[in-house]
Amino acid sequence: MAISFDWYENPVSPDKPEEKRFHPRIIANGQIDTKDLRSRIQSRCTLNEVDVTAVLDALSQVMGEELCEGRQVHLDGIGYFRPCLTSTEPVTIDTKRKATKVKLKAIQFRADQTLKNEFGILKVKSLK
């Protein structure tokens, strides 16, 4: 099955009137939940679904602990996870207690080349 997408117009700044440009955006094709993943993983190895659940739970906990320490986590064949920070308000050189103005923005992910290679030849289908 192909990845469905549509074309969306790029925003143009008023000081740079240019020819309209477009970018492709994927149209979501549903999702798979943990229950389905657990079942599919179990069918490919000797673990039962309860064992797979335990491994996924432990993985989540250990990754959380490592990310909380500021470490990047690499899962072979999947990719790299790392924490990304932001400030809760504008910070200047004169701001007092700068460390209290920091919070977690996101967990960033960069796919491993092995995972990217799973795509093989990309099949896409434009809606328009």
Side-chain angles (χ1 to χ4, degrees):
M1 183 172 196
I3 295 174
S4 297
F5 72 95
D6 205 353
W7 292 102
Y8 288 83
E9 187 176 340
N10 292 348
V12 179
S13 67
D15 58 322
K16 292 185 180 179
E18 299 176 8
E19 178 182 336
K20 288 185 179 180
R21 294 190 181 186
F22 297 85
H23 66 276
R25 187 180 299 167
I26 290 177
I27 306 299
N29 187 21
Q31 69 181 26
I32 184 169
D33 62 13
T34 305
K35 181 181 177 227
D36 294 329
L37 279 173
R38 183 176 56 226
S39 178
R40 291 183 64 186
I41 291 169
Q42 180 268 326
S43 71
R44 291 185 164 112
C45 65
T46 60
L47 298 175
N48 62 41
E49 287 190 35
V50 173
D51 294 334
V52 173
T53 300
V55 169
L56 292 175
D57 287 346
L59 176 63
S60 175
Q61 292 171 7
V62 171
M63 284 181 67
E65 292 167 3
E66 295 301 316
L67 291 166
C68 281
E69 294 294 324
R71 293 186 187 92
Q72 175 175 275
V73 176
H74 177 228
L75 298 177
D76 291 337
I78 295 176
Y80 300 83
F81 298 82
R82 66 180 178 89
C84 179
L85 303 177
T86 189
S87 59
T88 58
E89 61 185 61
V91 174
T92 66
I93 194 74
D94 297 326
T95 302
K96 303 288 186 209
R97 300 183 314 194
K98 291 179 187 70
T100 64
K101 313 291 190 235
V102 177
K103 71 175 187 172
L104 179 68
K105 178 180 181 182
I107 304 297
Q108 293 187 326
F109 171 73
R110 183 171 50 92
D112 213 2
Q113 190 61 48
T114 307
L115 182 60
K116 291 178 185 178
N117 292 343
E118 288 294 322
F119 269 79
I121 298 172
L122 183 62
K123 298 174 192 158
V124 295
K125 176 178 69 175
S126 178
L127 293 181
K128 292 182 182 177

